[in-house]
Amino acid sequence: DAGVTQSPTHLIKTRGQHVTLRCSPISGHKSVSWYQQVLGQGPQFIFQYYEKEERGRGNFPDRFSARQFPNYSSELNVNALLLGDSALYLCASSSDRTYSPLHFGNGTRLTVT
Amino acid sequence: TQLLEQSPQFLSIQEGENLTVYCNSSSVFSSLQWYRQEPGEGPVLLVTVVTGGEVKKLKRLTFQFGDARKDSSLHITAAQPGDTGLYLCAGASLGNQGGKLIFGQGTELSVKP
């Protein structure tokens, strides 16, 4: 079975622009979470979606938004990009079982210049 | 705000040495997971511990969850160059239905032959 897939793998944007990142979960997984990983740090939680509903939101500004589609794939949108948004954006899917581990994609490396 | 303090941040050792990575918090977690991340890839789950005092072994890796479920450790015996990577601990809050994890800053391990 295919793992979590993310696109694009790399992206370069200019300050003030908008970006959309995409994620396809493992087949059968209904939960998708997004994390931001700045170089040298651990991942930081941005959003969780389950069955197209937002289940959790981390401490990120309103410039960050996400949605989940009927096929459980997800998009992360970031508006008005800042230099500090440069990071690896990770998507993870999981089943809804208790203590279910997260299965991560390889991320999208976003560079804002 | 829940935090996980991970130490050491960097570790460079010779092949065959033993090492321990610590993960501490003032908060109680329902479960704690350890991940390993290699450059250009997403984190991959190593183990999940859920019971206070629990010890799990995975070949040369031993994971322990503190009695109060506030801390955890990862011990590697006879480290090998293939163990090189970023080790991350991640806690799930009480009542968390999955998807949202609090990550430590990570331990960058380098094992030299």
Side-chain angles (χ1 to χ4, degrees):
Chain A
D1 283 341
V4 175
T5 57
Q6 292 187 243
S7 63
T9 56
H10 295 82
L11 203 50
I12 299 175
K13 290 286 190 177
T14 305
R15 276 178 298 176
Q17 286 188 316
H18 160 271
V19 69
T20 298
L21 310 180
R22 295 178 175 81
C23 172
S24 292
I26 289 173
S27 177
H29 284 184
K30 300 179 180 179
S31 173
V32 170
S33 300
W34 288 94
Y35 287 80
Q36 181 196 64
Q37 187 175 24
V38 174
L39 199 62
Q41 300 288 323
Q44 188 172 358
F45 174 76
I46 310 175
F47 285 110
Q48 183 196 6
Y49 275 78
Y50 178 77
E51 291 276 18
K52 297 175 289 179
E53 297 289 327
E54 182 183 301
R55 187 179 259 183
R57 183 186 184 112
N59 188 24
F60 280 81
D62 292 343
R63 299 184 295 107
F64 289 76
S65 63
R67 56 180 176 168
Q68 187 177 32
F69 299 99
N71 66 353
Y72 305 114
S73 67
S74 178
E75 283 183 355
L76 175 69
N77 296 282
V78 187
N79 293 323
L81 285 166
L82 303 174
L83 295 179
D85 295 331
S86 295
L88 180 67
Y89 287 85
L90 294 163
C91 172
S93 73
S94 61
S95 69
D96 202 37
R97 291 180 291 111
T98 305
Y99 309 127
S100 175
L102 297 185
H103 298 264
F104 285 89
N106 287 333
T108 294
R109 172 69 64 186
L110 172 65
T111 302
V112 182
T113 63
Chain B
T1 304
Q2 290 183 303
L3 291 173
L4 267 173
E5 297 289 336
Q6 196 171 334
S7 63
Q9 193 173 352
F10 299 97
L11 199 51
S12 182
I13 61 174
Q14 293 296 127
E15 182 176 1
E17 292 184 8
N18 301 332
L19 66 113
T20 302
V21 178
Y22 299 93
C23 191
N24 296 292
S25 177
S26 58
S27 303
V28 176
F29 292 99
S30 64
S31 68
L32 201 135
Q33 300 174 2
W34 285 90
Y35 291 82
R36 181 179 161 206
Q37 185 177 20
E38 301 202 37
E41 299 182 6
V44 175
L45 180 73
L46 296 173
V47 78
T48 300
V49 285
V50 301
T51 305
E54 182 176 2
V55 177
K56 280 192 175 179
K57 293 191 175 184
L58 187 66
K59 297 184 181 178
R60 294 175 295 100
L61 278 61
T62 302
F63 304 86
Q64 186 164 4
F65 201 12
D67 291 340
R69 291 186 293 152
K70 294 182 179 180
D71 56 88
S72 181
S73 63
L74 157 61
H75 182 78
I76 301 179
T77 303
Q80 299 176 0
D83 295 327
T84 294
L86 179 67
Y87 289 82
L88 295 158
C89 62
S93 305
L94 297 176
N96 177 31
Q97 293 176 285
K100 178 182 179 181
L101 294 178
I102 311 280
F103 278 84
Q105 309 97 307
T107 294
E108 188 73 57
L109 172 65
S110 174
V111 182
K112 302 185 187 309

